[in-house]
Amino acid sequence: FYEMFFDDAVKATKILHITLTARGNSGGKKIPMCGVPYHAADNYIARLIRSGNKVAICEQMEAPSAGKKIVKREITKIITPGTFIADDFLDNAVNNYILSLNVSDKKFGLAYADISTGEFHVTELDSRESLFAELYKISSAECLIPESFSKDKIFNQFKDVNLGAITVNDDWMFDYELSLKEIKNHFLVQNLDGFGCTDLNLAVGAAGALIRYIKHTQKSPLNNIHSISSYKISQFMTLDDSSYRHLELLQNQDDLSSRGTLLEILDMTRTSMGKRRLKKWILNPLLNVNKIEERLKAVQFFYDNRRLLEETREFLSNVYDIERLSNKISMATANARDIVSLAGSLKTIEELKAKFEKHIPDILEKLVLKLDNFADIVEWVEKCLIETPPNTIKEGGLIRQGYNCELDEVKAVALNGKDWLIDLQKKEIEKTGISSLKVGFNRVFGYYIEVTNAKLNAVPGNYIRKQTLTNAERFITPELKEWESKIIGAEERAKNLEYEIFCELRNKIGSEIKRLKETATAIAEIDVLSCLAENAIISGYSRPVLNDGNKISIIQGRHPVLEKVLKHKEFVPNDISIDTDDNRIFIITGSNMAGKSTFIRQTALIVIMAQIGSFVPAQKAEIGIIDRIFTRVGASDRLYKGMSTFMVEMLETANILNNATDKSLIILDEVGRGTSTFDGVSIAWAVVEYIYRKLLGAKALFATHYHELTELSQIMRGVKNFHLAVQEWNDEIVFLYKIKEGSSDESFGIHVAKLAGMPQFVVKRAREILNNLQKDSFMGNIRLRFSEKESHLEKVSQLDFFETSKNDHPVLKKILDIDVNSLTPLDALKKIAELKTELKEETG
Ligand code: ADP
Ligand code: MG
């Protein structure tokens, strides 16, 4: 059992739903205590960690013995959300990152590691927007920050970002000089040139703090982390965190799962390593045409060689998570099963390599070269371990016979002893004539001879009574005890020896970690590349052409997710050709539900897919590299974060206008919706003007229901109107989902309202108001247009809307109530005046 005391115990019982007990006394009070069984500890630890706690593991450091009162204990590990890597806790498709964030003068240094894979990355960022985007991508399980920053006002804005558990550390931990020393010591290097982070002082500070923290909590030398990779975000397409959300790349907007996302559609990877890699690729589309082409060539190669593709996929299906397994081995947490699984996977690699003959694309050739030959490790493992070893490593039963002479001898002694016991039972039965006599074993008394009460009189004199049961007695003899110590001694020795041999093997494999990791990386990439080829075949994608030009031209493009989920209809493909000159800003109008949002999103998704190195859902696509995609899509309330829909909308739009470049693609879906019409249309207008005048070169797709914006095309070259066509048919409309040039005349919102089952009255009345509105110019008196004077009053009284029959009207009632006979002319005049005012008041 692991036990917890005092406040810890009280807290833990609530989280774990276990019983609170007490032990001993402190200051006259009982000490609260609770415990969890040793063998199930991981499960309980996982629950404590998930509820935001850290767990210090304290072990006995020596065997308890009679002479000593207090056994020596030590904290052997501190488990935190970012460092807990028990198998059941980790999601194999997701990296478990622990992040360290260093801040100075609006610049940020990041270092993050996944202890379960041994990755370690650093980078620096110089704006809050890029920091947020990067933090979103990393999605750390735990984040270390310097204490001074935790008190900074800026830190408050971080509540939006998913950082995992926050751990505040002393500022000195992030000190550059100290960190530099820490890193040099850890990696045994003279300087950091080899890691490419010589000038990244902030990141170095973060990295030093991170290494120090992990070593401190894990009490381990961290052998599995043997290199730092530094990167610049400028190598990748910039997508801000709201774009990840809006475009539903990894998580959908409903329940944040991967259902209906690009990741889900593309993920046909066969290994966990591949899954994690694909996710990284989606988060980081490339900007370098050559690098993208390299990937596309590999995808093409698999696409063209179906047989090889199939065989590769088949092979990958049988590969275990080499990355995490070898990592466990180097951290000395792997058991014999892990090692056997690893060896099994390594064994087949040669077969895979053999499949790739000459004439393969460069990138594949490089990857195949990285696949090492592991005959040595496989041989060590196969010679040493049995085929299906147990989960435990200290109870013996793992090592093959013939591997180690000493072990075999000791085991023989134990085995002989057992044979001797079987013989003994036979002999004693013969000698005593007690046929039910049994030789048995229990933990407290060791080996014994058991005789039932009925036969006690036949027990020979040399038996020594040891234990009395209800219907039997247990005896020992000096001879039996002698053999007992031989057997038990031998068994203990065998177990210890097996454990020693196992650890030796594990260490030996552990020191091969570099080779293993390289191979794991190569397998991950081969998995993703072949997965993209399989996708291309299954979903009918085509290879895009990428260049550094300014044009995006897509023929018959489709939305990769929607085309799969549409049940009762076919997806309608559409073309787009957008550039930085005459066709730069598209104002896209069309009825509600006509497919505007789908069209602009599919354009963004196709660009992203192409820059990942994937084939795309289109007949043909030519993509001039896009450096950033900005999106402002739909209404997303973050009220719980204290921001209204409109505020969020304006924040996101501001971010776009402040950061877009001439190579950016801007996706605006209904900007200005969260406020009044005039307000909204004015903002939308000004936004387009700004993009037109200031963000020269940026391409923009603007879906809007403000028809007024279509006038912009008349005054600005490069602004073009498009609409999604609908067809009117018998007073109904049919959506064609086809993009056409020009603006649409109507928004058909009322049709959609009708489709949605709005009450007849609302539909009819809305048509009427629309008619009235269309009679006047846009700048007319709005109130009059909503309710044209006379006709309005007349209609209103006829409508059952008021549910008042004529006689119920208060004025009519008053007239009916008047007694004309008793009314003086003067009173009559007064009455008329009074009724008139009443009616006037009512109609406003
Ligand atoms: P809008 O933004 O114009 O209101 P959406 O893009 O949200 O319209 O599309 C509404 C629905 O129309 C989608 O959910 C989908 O079912 C259908 N749809 C949109 N585009 C297409 C298309 N190209 N082919 C087939 N169905 C489509
Ligand atoms: Mg829409």
Side-chain angles (χ1 to χ4, degrees), residues 569-615:
K569 53 183 176 186
E570 286 277 302
F571 190 87
V572 180
N574 271 309
D575 302 348
I576 182 172
S577 179
I578 184 165
D579 53 41
T580 45
D581 303 317
D582 284 353
N583 301 291
R584 185 157 87 81
I585 300 175
F586 287 11
I587 305 290
I588 300 164
T589 49
S591 158
N592 227 300
M593 291 295 284
K596 300 184 294 297
S597 300
T598 306
F599 176 72
I600 59 177
R601 279 177 214 217
Q602 93 188 20
T603 307
L605 289 172
I606 289 173
V607 170
I608 290 172
M609 287 172 78
Q611 291 188 215
I612 286 169
S614 168
F615 283 18

Side-chain angles (χ1 to χ4, degrees), residues 551-762:
K551 197 170 162 188
I552 295 177
S553 155
I554 298 170
I555 312 273
Q556 302 277 297
R558 286 135 34 212
H559 190 294
V561 179
L562 198 63
E563 74 165 338
K564 304 254 167 181
V565 299
L566 282 185
K567 295 234 168 65
H568 306 296
K569 53 183 176 186
E570 286 277 302
F571 190 87
V572 180
N574 271 309
D575 302 348
I576 182 172
S577 179
I578 184 165
D579 53 41
T580 45
D581 303 317
D582 284 353
N583 301 291
R584 185 157 87 81
I585 300 175
F586 287 11
I587 305 290
I588 300 164
T589 49
S591 158
N592 227 300
M593 291 295 284
K596 300 184 294 297
S597 300
T598 306
F599 176 72
I600 59 177
R601 279 177 214 217
Q602 93 188 20
T603 307
L605 289 172
I606 289 173
V607 170
I608 290 172
M609 287 172 78
Q611 291 188 215
I612 286 169
S614 168
F615 283 18
V616 296
Q619 210 178 68
K620 232 173 134 183
E622 186 191 326
I623 313 281
I625 296 286
I626 291 291
D627 70 345
R628 298 163 183 231
I629 293 184
F630 291 96
T631 55
R632 159 86 277 278
V633 170
S636 63
D637 249 319
R638 281 190 268 171
L639 285 180
Y640 62 100
K641 281 169 184 152
M643 286 190 273
S644 70
T645 313
F646 187 64
M647 185 62 189
V648 173
E649 188 179 320
M650 289 299 106
L651 278 173
E652 290 178 359
T653 311
N655 172 37
I656 296 173
L657 300 183
N658 291 327
N659 294 296
T661 73
D662 58 358
K663 288 229 156 251
S664 300
L665 174 63
I666 302 173
I667 300 285
L668 297 167
D669 198 347
E670 311 276 19
V671 166
R673 203 173 201 175
T675 184
S676 77
T677 309
F678 282 166
D679 219 10
V681 87
S682 317
I683 292 172
W685 187 289
V687 165
V688 177
E689 265 183 6
Y690 185 89
I691 296 174
Y692 182 76
R693 290 190 209 293
K694 305 278 182 187
L695 304 177
L696 296 180
K699 305 174 186 66
L701 299 176
F702 194 165
T704 183
H705 66 292
Y706 290 133
H707 283 268
E708 296 76 17
L709 296 187
T710 57
E711 286 174 23
L712 282 163
S713 69
Q714 290 167 27
I715 44 178
M716 293 174 189
R717 193 180 74 98
V719 176
K720 284 266 142 52
N721 291 331
F722 284 88
H723 69 282
L724 279 134
V726 294
Q727 211 166 42
E728 276 182 279
W729 185 70
N730 284 352
D731 204 27
E732 296 291 325
I733 52 167
V734 179
F735 298 115
L736 301 178
Y737 307 117
K738 261 290 169 213
I739 190 98
K740 298 232 163 96
E741 242 195 289
S743 64
S744 70
D745 330 322
E746 274 190 273
S747 93
F748 296 102
I750 296 170
H751 284 273
V752 177
K754 192 176 158 199
L755 286 179
M758 281 270 197
Q760 266 292 322
F761 170 77
V762 175

